[in-house]
Amino acid sequence: MDATVEPSLPDEALTESAPTRSAELAPVRSRARWLLLGVPTLAHVAGDFYRRGERILGFSGYHRLTYLGALAESLVVGALLLLAASRSGRGWRWVFGVLFVLEFTLAFGGQHYFFEQYNAYLNQDISAFAANLMGSVFNQLLADLPNYAHAKLPPLVFGCLLVVATRAALQVPRRVERAAVVLAPLALVAALFIPTHFRQQQASTPDVLYLSAIGGLIRTDLGLTEQSGQVRPRSRKSLPVPKLEPKLASPRNVLLVQLESVRADATCVEYSPDCRRTESTNRLFPNRYPLTQVRALDSCTAISAAVLWGGLLPTESQETLHTWPLTFDYARAAGYHTAYFTSQNMMFGNSRLWVENLGVERRFTATDLDPAADLDTGAPERLLAQRLMHEFETLKEPYFALVQLSNAHFPYYLEESGPQPFQPTSLSKSPKENQKFFNYYLNVVYQQDIQVARFLEHMRRQASGKRTVVVYTSDHGEAFREHNNMGHTYSVLEEEIRVPGWIDAPEGTLTSDEIAALRAKRNVPLTHADLAVTMIDLLGVLDAPGIARFRSKLAGDSVLRPERQQRILPLTNCSSLWSCAFENWGLLAGNKKLEAREWDFSWHCWDLEQDPKEQHDLGAAACPELVAYAKQTFGRLPGRGRKTP
């Protein structure tokens, strides 16, 4: 049988069919090329789902609508800018090309960088908050410049390639080009001021949130928004304290050493011959009395000052926080000489106003040590220690003095020639470098401790040093991604409020009863308010009739006394003394804590004794008393109830 031969088309048919199919597909390809204009929005949404896809999928119907609205806004702005950048004219297309790449790079890269630090996007509230601290913002960005630039580089390259691809692929009619040139800048400017959902759920695309934040910054600078009045300390003047008669078994001086941004686990709270973290003070004070469960009621320096220096709650009114007596006032009324020494730059956030009327006999700040002191880290603490050694030689007894440090504030001051036992290190905030970044911080604390030990050892050598009780703590802690946060002021979780605490008292400065009570507090939950009251007790005036009026607002108990009140204490970084970037607050009752941040939708309940790292949320139902108290104190969850566009 002959083989079957399949019929074939003539060569002429083949040559005719190829152009025909190509011609048929040409309109489809032409229309498909226009999809390039949606790529910027697609990139923003894809990045958003990568970072917080579970949150987005959990949006309610209303928030889905606001997100879709933001998506439409993103599409219009991105497409018009890209379209204007692809026009045939050589002049304006370069202007719009640069404008598109700049907008895409800043919005995509900026939000990626910000989310990595704070688990939320930059929004109007943050830009308004930062407007008053712009010097610090630039300072901190410069410290992490390589990581910041790394976040910007991929979108920069992608944006440039997208402009080139669009110009090559699109043949844009002249009338469309002209319309895009007019509409693109109008859309961009409109995006700066169109309301969008920027709080709590942040139910908008990252680029729309970014543009809205820039618009908020512009309005703030022009004084057109309520956020332009961000709360900062103002000049304070204490209510008068009558003359007080100290009741003490023997004379003693009191010295408060207040670290900056040092968390409890970065130090040696209890003496151990093997402890390396704050090795110098650990060896210098082997007989100190450790207080292992000390917490701040906030994670903000300014608010901590009101609690630690005055024994006040962070929720007190602005009037109270600016007029209620501080420990300096009680000491002065009792005949003590008073001193305030700090390496902090008091130009930061108008802090100088709050301390300008302390009424101390001696004082110096960072700019007295170094006129060019850094805004965030202050003056080098070797200069502080050197100056303090002279001061302790000439301070008159009895005295109450505060030494406030600052070098452990980000971007952290580290002497490159100094010891750095914790390795490897990096100053990058990149998540993959987190342990190295924490090691860098530990080295900063280690070097700071050398200077603390240096001036305290010198103080102890003086005759007055043998009568000086040292109270040691930090204003707050520092987060390193334990709960997806970096730094401080963004939560009242343990990494941000658990602080070191110990008291060193030379023989004869405390009574046997005081020593017994102090030893019993070793593992008892304490707060800065307790330390404030303890210092007033150390001055010998806690029971003085002259302060009876003021005791009503003292929120702690002296650790030198056996009795303690059961208290429920508010925790917050949103105060009438200092406003917050993201709302966050809670309550503390012994080892039970209730807390929430702005993007949370329910209270978290933690058992700090069983779960010190707060890994197992017990849920609001496990803290019914605290939830009820929170409703009375705050009235709402953070972020809820605020006006949101």
Side-chain angles (χ1 to χ4, degrees), residues 65-256:
L65 288 176
T66 61
Y67 194 88
L68 288 174
L71 191 149
E73 181 182 334
S74 170
L75 184 60
V76 169
V77 173
L80 284 174
L81 283 174
L82 191 55
L83 190 59
S86 65
R87 70 189 304 260
S88 58
R90 292 187 176 181
W92 283 106
R93 75 170 182 167
W94 291 108
V95 172
F96 283 105
V98 170
L99 190 59
F100 168 79
V101 171
L102 186 64
E103 185 271 341
F104 182 80
T105 301
L106 292 176
F108 191 96
Q111 292 290 43
H112 175 71
Y113 178 83
F114 197 88
F115 196 91
E116 278 194 341
Q117 314 308 314
Y118 308 111
N119 201 35
Y121 289 124
L122 178 68
N123 63 16
Q124 285 186 35
D125 287 336
I126 304 303
S127 62
F129 179 85
N132 294 281
L133 300 169
M134 198 55 72
S136 177
V137 171
F138 282 120
N139 201 21
Q140 296 191 31
L141 280 179
L142 286 174
D144 196 32
L145 190 58
N147 197 39
Y148 184 71
H150 184 265
K152 293 289 195 294
L153 185 58
L156 173 65
V157 173
F158 185 79
C160 291
L161 292 175
L162 192 55
V163 169
V164 172
T166 306
R167 287 178 179 174
L170 286 185
Q171 298 295 321
V172 184
R174 181 70 65 179
R175 65 182 183 278
V176 176
E177 287 182 354
R178 291 172 179 169
V181 168
V182 173
L183 293 175
L186 294 177
L188 183 60
V189 171
L192 300 177
F193 305 104
I194 293 175
T196 192
H197 192 285
F198 62 87
R199 289 194 180 115
Q200 199 174 35
Q201 293 208 28
Q202 296 194 324
S204 302
T205 58
D207 55 322
V208 168
L209 287 168
Y210 185 88
L211 293 174
S212 173
I214 300 302
L217 181 62
I218 293 171
R219 293 195 299 276
T220 297
D221 287 341
L222 295 176
L224 300 178
T225 66
E226 62 181 45
Q227 285 91 355
S228 61
Q230 286 287 318
V231 178
R232 292 292 178 268
R234 57 180 174 84
S235 183
R236 77 180 313 279
K237 186 174 183 180
S238 293
L239 294 168
V241 178
K243 184 177 179 180
L244 304 175
E245 292 294 334
K247 301 295 183 182
L248 293 171
S250 58
R252 59 194 178 201
N253 309 304
V254 182
L255 173 63
L256 170 61

Side-chain angles (χ1 to χ4, degrees), residues 256-291:
L256 170 61
V257 177
Q258 179 182 314
L259 309 178
E260 162 68 47
S261 302
V262 177
R263 48 195 272 165
D265 63 2
T267 71
C268 311
V269 174
E270 301 182 82
Y271 173 73
S272 169
D274 301 322
C275 185
R276 297 291 311 281
R277 296 203 164 181
T278 45
E279 187 174 35
S280 298
T281 53
N282 179 59
R283 292 178 177 177
L284 184 61
F285 299 108
N287 299 316
R288 62 188 182 272
Y289 300 99
L291 303 170

Side-chain angles (χ1 to χ4, degrees), residues 4-76:
T4 303
V5 179
E6 293 289 339
S8 60
L9 292 173
D11 291 342
E12 294 83 357
L14 286 172
T15 57
E16 288 176 3
S17 64
T20 300
R21 284 196 297 271
S22 179
E24 290 173 351
L25 292 174
V28 176
R29 291 172 180 161
S30 180
R31 287 192 294 271
R33 288 168 184 165
W34 287 90
L35 294 177
L36 284 170
L37 300 179
V39 170
T41 296
L42 180 62
H44 288 302
V45 172
D48 197 14
F49 267 84
Y50 174 77
R51 297 179 204 109
R52 54 172 193 153
E54 189 174 343
R55 292 192 212 173
I56 296 171
L57 294 174
F59 282 169
S60 65
Y62 169 74
H63 293 116
R64 289 175 185 173
L65 288 176
T66 61
Y67 194 88
L68 288 174
L71 191 149
E73 181 182 334
S74 170
L75 184 60
V76 169

Side-chain angles (χ1 to χ4, degrees), residues 590-608:
N591 279 314
K592 277 292 183 72
K593 183 198 289 186
L594 189 77
E595 61 78 30
R597 293 174 285 178
E598 183 164 315
W599 46 85
D600 293 326
F601 296 98
S602 63
W603 294 106
H604 305 299
C605 176
W606 309 101
D607 184 329
L608 302 178

